[in-house]
Amino acid sequence: MSAIVTEMSWRFACKLDELPVLGARVLERSDADGGNVAVFRNSEDVVFALLDKCPHKGGPLSQGIVFGERVACPLHNWSIELKSGEAVAPDVGCTKRFPVKVDGGEVFVDLG
């Protein structure tokens, strides 16, 4: 029996107080590395990270409006769940989600 090993690759994103409430910051990555990652903070101070690309037409989710635990894509107003990256019905599609941790007021994203 073999064990599955997952390697965590935590990257510092920003200090929590530098992440606007109901806003986002972008972790820049090359296309070869998978593209940019958007880090969001909602009104409850919960932090999420998604690939910065709407599953519909690739709009920059980091420029969308955060409400509750969703973000509205700035291009066509699709709602995307911040917890899962899933589009909200009737729309369908998903963008990649990344684990996030806040430690000592600093935000880290697992890009592994």
Side-chain angles (χ1 to χ4, degrees):
M1 188 190 278
S2 64
I4 296 175
V5 178
T6 356
E7 188 173 322
M8 301 298 255
S9 180
W10 293 103
R11 178 172 162 192
F12 173 75
C14 61
K15 293 192 177 289
L16 182 61
D17 60 7
E18 295 172 341
L19 185 58
V21 174
L22 299 179
R25 289 186 58 124
V26 176
L27 285 176
E28 292 186 8
R29 298 188 316 165
S30 70
D31 288 338
D33 287 333
N36 292 343
V37 174
V39 182
F40 302 92
R41 179 179 180 189
N42 73 4
S43 61
E44 305 295 317
D45 286 335
V46 181
V47 180
F48 307 89
L50 298 174
L51 186 64
D52 194 18
K53 188 179 283 190
C54 179
H56 176 225
K57 297 275 185 178
L61 294 175
S62 60
Q63 295 177 25
I65 296 170
V66 176
F67 59 102
E69 292 192 348
R70 296 180 178 168
V71 61
C73 177
L75 294 185
H76 301 101
N77 207 34
W78 275 35
S79 289
I80 308 298
E81 293 284 352
L82 293 170
K83 279 185 178 179
S84 66
E86 292 282 337
V88 176
D91 301 319
V92 293
C94 186
T95 191
K96 184 175 179 171
R97 182 191 66 82
F98 297 87
V100 175
K101 69 178 177 180
V102 179
D103 186 17
E106 296 182 328
V107 179
F108 298 87
V109 178
D110 177 16
L111 301 176

